[in-house]
Amino acid sequence: MESRKPLLEVLGGKATWPSPIWLMRQAGRYLPEYRALRAEAADFLSFCLSPELAIEASLQPLRRFGFDAAILFSDILLLPWALGHPLSFEEGIGPVLPPLSDRTLLARLDLDRLRPAIEPVLRAIRGVRAALPSGVALIGFAGAPFTLACYLVDGRGGEFAATRRMVREEPGLFAELIECLTQAVIGYLLAQAEAGAEVLMLFDSWAGLLSPRLFHRFVIGPTAAITASLKARFPAVPVIGFPRLAGLMVDAYGRLAGVDCVSLDTAADLSLAERLLPAPIVLQGNLDPFSLLSGGACLREEVLGIAEAVRGRPHIFNLGHGVVAATPPEHVAELVGLWRGLA
Ligand code: CP3
């Protein structure tokens, strides 16, 4: 019989104490073993598309820190790539894509390419699932449609001015792009669940760029469509949503987006979120990655504050955003020890 998995228990609504712990970007450049492995691939995209390397990168942080979850090592921008949109990762910039500025480019996104293109990702999921330590759950993920659209329309990270203009100046075109991405995310996450992902997470890193009215249309609406399709096929697979920077809009997100758990960013006051997002919604978060980077007394105080705010309700310990590359791995070990040592 498979041993109990605390992450799945909490997502099923059962509060356990101390809460299960994993960290966004728990694999990556802050780990020397990741940097060594990364040197084996010519570029970041081929790294993600090599199942052997992606499996090993997913498992590295588990060996070191004994987290309660593994997250598939990949990137949200593999999805537009799988639809045929060119993608590269450039040193010092991050992801770079040709900006999607008109209908001709939108028409080139090809849903039929998705399934064969993501085969290496599915192989990595099967491999990680087979190698998981007992008690550890596997999280699959995708970017949410709005955040994917931000990178597609602007072509790189920044202020996303082109996206914010298209939302207002060409709402029909933007809605078509969101609809196409919604279908792609559904196909991608269903395939990940079939391949063995036990939890699915939607990263909407730029959700908070929208006003409430546009947030309902381009964040909550598409997310609700995605969760409805996932639940129809995999009712027992929980979904975590991360509407970063959404502020008070997390209230509507929690009620209407159909997610089981809301991942909160650093600015969310957990004792207020506790009231805005009552159980059965699970809260995930929300230590500031810079408290982890700096360590010391501030780290301890912040962690104790989180414990006080969420004790007694279903919660998953995480950061409010990903681990920063300069973080000393010893601080992560200290954090895990501190959290697991809470009485
Ligand atoms: O450990 C994990 O969390 C799994 C791996 C993971 C990566 N990216 C690896 C990665 C996950 C879940 C992501 C999600 C992701 N990717 C998001 C959503 C979460 C967030 O951070 O807001 C976004 C917006 C992206 C897009 C992206 N990919 C950016 C902006 C960058 C450049 C910034 C950076 O940190 O370099 C990437 C590259 C990337 N994705 C790296 C890693 C480990 C660094 C590249 C390298 O190692 O060479």
Side-chain angles (χ1 to χ4, degrees):
M1 203 189 89
E2 202 169 29
S3 65
R4 53 183 278 275
K5 299 193 174 192
L7 189 87
L8 300 184
E9 284 185 349
V10 165
L11 286 165
K14 183 171 167 236
T16 60
W17 191 256
S19 331
I21 177 170
W22 72 280
L23 304 180
M24 292 190 264
R25 291 282 183 99
Q26 64 190 24
R29 282 168 302 190
Y30 77 107
L31 290 177
E33 61 270 34
Y34 169 80
R35 295 195 295 270
L37 190 68
R38 172 73 180 73
E40 289 182 32
D43 54 73
F44 183 65
L45 185 56
S46 20
F47 186 93
C48 292
L49 291 170
S50 154
E52 293 69 31
L53 297 176
I55 292 166
E56 177 58 19
S58 308
L59 297 172
Q60 282 176 342
L62 305 181
R63 293 195 195 104
R64 230 188 224 261
F65 307 115
F67 290 121
D68 292 298
I71 181 159
L72 163 71
F73 191 88
S74 188
D75 195 86
I76 62 165
L77 295 170
L78 258 70
L79 180 60
W81 172 85
L83 301 177
H85 199 85
L87 167 69
S88 64
F89 288 86
E90 288 173 25
E91 206 57 49
I93 304 178
V96 178
L97 307 82
L100 191 155
S101 49
D102 59 29
R103 274 213 162 67
T104 321
L105 292 166
L106 171 60
R108 286 197 202 144
L109 297 181
D110 182 358
L111 286 165
D112 292 335
R113 297 176 62 129
L114 180 66
R115 193 59 208 223
I118 63 174
E119 197 47 50
V121 176
L122 304 180
R123 276 178 55 196
I125 289 180
R126 292 183 206 107
V128 177
R129 180 74 195 269
L132 280 183
S134 74
V136 177
L138 174 58
I139 303 172
F141 71 89
F146 179 69
T147 289
L148 293 173
C150 283
Y151 286 98
L152 274 163
V153 173
D154 271 77
R156 62 178 66 193
E159 299 241 288
F160 299 107
T163 306
R164 293 154 93 176
R165 290 187 62 169
M166 189 189 280
V167 166
R168 293 162 173 93
E169 295 170 20
E170 295 174 276
L173 173 60
F174 194 72
E176 276 178 50
L177 171 59
I178 290 289
E179 175 53 28
C180 170
L181 292 170
T182 300
Q183 293 313 315
V185 169
I186 290 169
Y188 191 34
L189 290 179
L190 285 175
Q192 292 187 37
E194 253 162 47
E198 299 170 281
V199 176
L200 298 169
M201 178 154 171
L202 278 167
F203 286 94
D204 218 343
S205 304
W206 300 106
L209 294 183
L210 294 171
S211 64
R213 190 179 63 85
L214 294 167
F215 183 88
H216 274 266
R217 174 143 188 230
F218 293 121
V219 170
I220 294 179
T223 304
I226 292 166
T227 54
S229 296
L230 298 177
K231 296 291 177 186
R233 274 277 298 288
F234 293 99
V237 173
V239 180
I240 304 174
F242 180 40
R244 196 170 73 93
L245 309 173
L248 295 174
M249 298 185 290
V250 295
D251 173 30
Y253 187 91
R255 283 184 286 109
L256 303 171
V259 299
D260 302 276
C261 171
V262 178
S263 198
L264 296 162
D265 62 56
T266 299
D269 178 335
L270 278 183
S271 45
L272 183 59
E274 218 285 297
R275 277 175 275 154
L276 284 181
L277 300 163
I281 293 178
V282 180
L283 298 184
Q284 175 171 274
N286 70 344
L287 180 73
D288 191 320
F290 281 85
S291 297
L292 181 60
L293 171 93
S294 298
C298 179
L299 172 64
R300 282 191 294 280
E301 278 157 31
E302 297 274 319
V303 168
L304 295 178
I306 290 172
E308 201 176 311
V310 299
R311 183 190 282 276
R313 72 161 284 157
H315 169 250
I316 300 163
F317 189 94
N318 208 316
L319 302 176
H321 202 190
V323 176
V324 173
T327 304
E330 306 75 59
H331 291 185
V332 178
E334 187 191 334
L335 165 65
V336 174
L338 187 60
W339 187 256
R340 297 235 194 259
L342 289 174

